[in-house]
Amino acid sequence: MFKNPFSFYGRIRRLEYALTYIVFIIVSNLTFLFLDASASDLLMAPFLLSLYLFFSQGAKREHDLGFSGWWQLVPFRFIWLILLKGESGQNKYGNDPKSKL
């Protein structure tokens, strides 16, 4: 789990995506909580890093479903990414993340 988290290539399972989503929500809430307290642009760095991580993991989750990573830009698509089971076996985006390869 969490091999090459900042890469946009490959496939991941629902659990890894859900954990990434939880981390993104926590980091973004903390960032904006502290951003209100001070006007430092340095506080935006953790948010931007978590945003990049969220989109890279989202692209890999879309690949697990057999779709292009651009589909994650559809509003509320993240719900489907958490709920839907990925394709079994290999697809054009890589091996099944459930396989023991």
Side-chain angles (χ1 to χ4, degrees):
M1 191 175 337
F2 288 105
K3 291 194 298 190
N4 300 323
F6 294 102
S7 170
F8 281 80
Y9 301 103
R11 296 168 61 181
I12 61 171
R13 298 173 71 178
R14 292 179 281 189
L15 176 62
E16 186 172 343
Y17 180 75
L19 291 174
T20 303
Y21 181 72
I22 291 168
V23 167
F24 172 70
I25 294 299
I26 290 170
V27 169
S28 62
N29 285 332
L30 287 175
T31 299
F32 290 115
L33 177 71
F34 288 116
L35 197 60
D36 287 343
S38 69
S40 174
D41 290 336
L42 186 60
L43 290 174
M44 286 301 289
F47 171 72
L48 293 176
L49 186 65
S50 68
L51 185 64
Y52 183 83
L53 175 68
F54 179 64
F55 280 124
S56 65
Q57 295 288 77
K60 290 190 278 188
R61 183 67 189 124
E62 288 286 358
H63 293 167
D64 191 40
L65 297 172
F67 295 103
S68 166
W70 290 103
W71 278 96
Q72 69 180 316
L73 299 177
V74 173
F76 302 107
R77 177 80 177 181
F78 69 93
I79 296 170
W80 291 112
L81 295 179
I82 293 172
L83 297 177
L84 291 179
K85 183 180 178 202
E87 289 183 345
S88 297
Q90 186 174 4
N91 68 11
K92 67 180 181 178
Y93 297 106
N95 293 327
D96 189 349
K98 288 184 178 181
S99 69
K100 301 294 184 199
L101 298 175

